[in-house]
């Protein structure tokens, strides 16, 4: 995929100009999903996670795309909107890299979704048995479930 805003020859002010130009193009072609995704990514790269989330949600309002869900979830994670992260990422959990999957498991655990957290933790630990961080998440899950009088074999 083309990501022109990561090129080293772009200065910060030229990225802002490019984002402005892309937003103007969206006014002409608001249903252009690839263009809207590009705008959202550029806004995200500028550090405006709330603005990027809004654009990704507009994409998702028009068409349900896994890449838009993943990107929107990352913006929501950066904004610490964990319930939204859970809503966005759960349907695409099989496509997540380990780090976002771990964050999704934590979001599930924090929102009382122990079964979802257990499913993710089990998958993470089985696919990455040498990663101590995932094992610590397992302990966190067991502790939380113990508090709720639910014991799971992980």
């Amino acid at each position: 995929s083309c990501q022109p805003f990561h090129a080293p020859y772009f200065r910060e002010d030229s990225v802002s100009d490019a984002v402005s130009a892309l937003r103007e193009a969206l006014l002409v072609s608001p249903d252009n999903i690839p263009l809207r995704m590009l705008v959202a990514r550029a806004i995200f790269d500028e550090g405006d996670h709330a603005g990027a989330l809004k654009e990704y949600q507009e994409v998702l309002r028009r068409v349900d795309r896994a890449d838009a869900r993943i990107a929107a979830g990352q913006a929501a994670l950066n904004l610490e909107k964990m319930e939204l992260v859970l809503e966005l990422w759960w349907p695409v959990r099989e496509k997540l890299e380990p780090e976002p999957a771990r964050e999704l498991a934590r979001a599930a655990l924090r929102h009382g979704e122990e079964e979802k957290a257990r499913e993710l933790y089990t998958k993470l630990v089985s696919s990455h048995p040498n990663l101590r961080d995932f094992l610590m998440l397992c302990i966190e899950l067991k502790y939380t479930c113990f508090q709720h009088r639910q014991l799971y074999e992980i």
Side-chain angles (χ1 to χ4, degrees), residues 2 13 15 19-20 23 26 31 38-39 50 53-54 58 60 68 90 94-96 121 125 128-129 134 142:
C2 180
D13 57 334
V15 171
V19 170
S20 295
R23 285 182 186 219
L26 268 182
D31 293 326
L38 186 61
V39 168
L53 179 59
K54 182 179 174 187
E58 184 59 30
L60 292 168
W90 188 255
E94 297 299 323
K95 297 180 181 185
L96 295 174
Y121 287 141
V125 170
H128 304 286
F134 295 143
K142 283 192 174 206

Side-chain angles (χ1 to χ4, degrees), residues 9-41:
Y9 53 83
F10 273 100
R11 293 187 331 265
E12 190 171 317
D13 57 334
S14 67
V15 171
S16 295
D17 291 344
V19 170
S20 295
L22 289 170
R23 285 182 186 219
E24 286 180 30
L26 268 182
L27 294 175
V28 176
S29 183
D31 293 326
N32 185 328
I33 298 302
L35 177 60
R36 193 168 292 279
M37 289 289 291
L38 186 61
V39 168
R41 183 68 214 186

Side-chain angles (χ1 to χ4, degrees), residues 48-67:
D48 180 4
H49 300 132
L53 179 59
K54 182 179 174 187
E55 288 298 332
Y56 286 126
Q57 287 176 316
E58 184 59 30
V59 168
L60 292 168
R61 189 181 70 72
R62 295 166 192 264
V63 61
D64 193 5
R65 291 177 48 150
D67 60 340

Side-chain angles (χ1 to χ4, degrees), residues 96-106 109 117-142 154:
L96 295 174
E97 295 294 324
E99 185 63 29
R102 183 186 74 178
E103 291 302 327
L104 178 58
R106 282 194 171 137
L109 196 55
R118 186 178 67 82
E119 176 187 323
L120 287 162
Y121 287 141
T122 302
K123 179 184 173 203
L124 286 168
V125 170
S126 67
S127 60
H128 304 286
N130 296 327
L131 295 179
R132 185 180 60 172
D133 194 36
F134 295 143
L135 294 174
M136 292 305 294
L137 290 172
C138 246
I139 292 168
E140 181 183 344
L141 173 65
K142 283 192 174 206
I154 297 180

Side-chain angles (χ1 to χ4, degrees), residues 78-115:
N78 290 350
L79 295 168
E80 298 182 12
K81 295 184 175 195
M82 300 310 281
E83 190 170 347
L84 185 55
V85 170
L86 189 58
E87 177 186 325
L88 289 164
W89 279 354
W90 188 255
V92 293
R93 64 190 175 278
E94 297 299 323
K95 297 180 181 185
L96 295 174
E97 295 294 324
E99 185 63 29
R102 183 186 74 178
E103 291 302 327
L104 178 58
R106 282 194 171 137
L109 196 55
R110 288 185 187 123
H111 284 88
E113 301 278 355
E114 286 90 3
E115 285 292 328

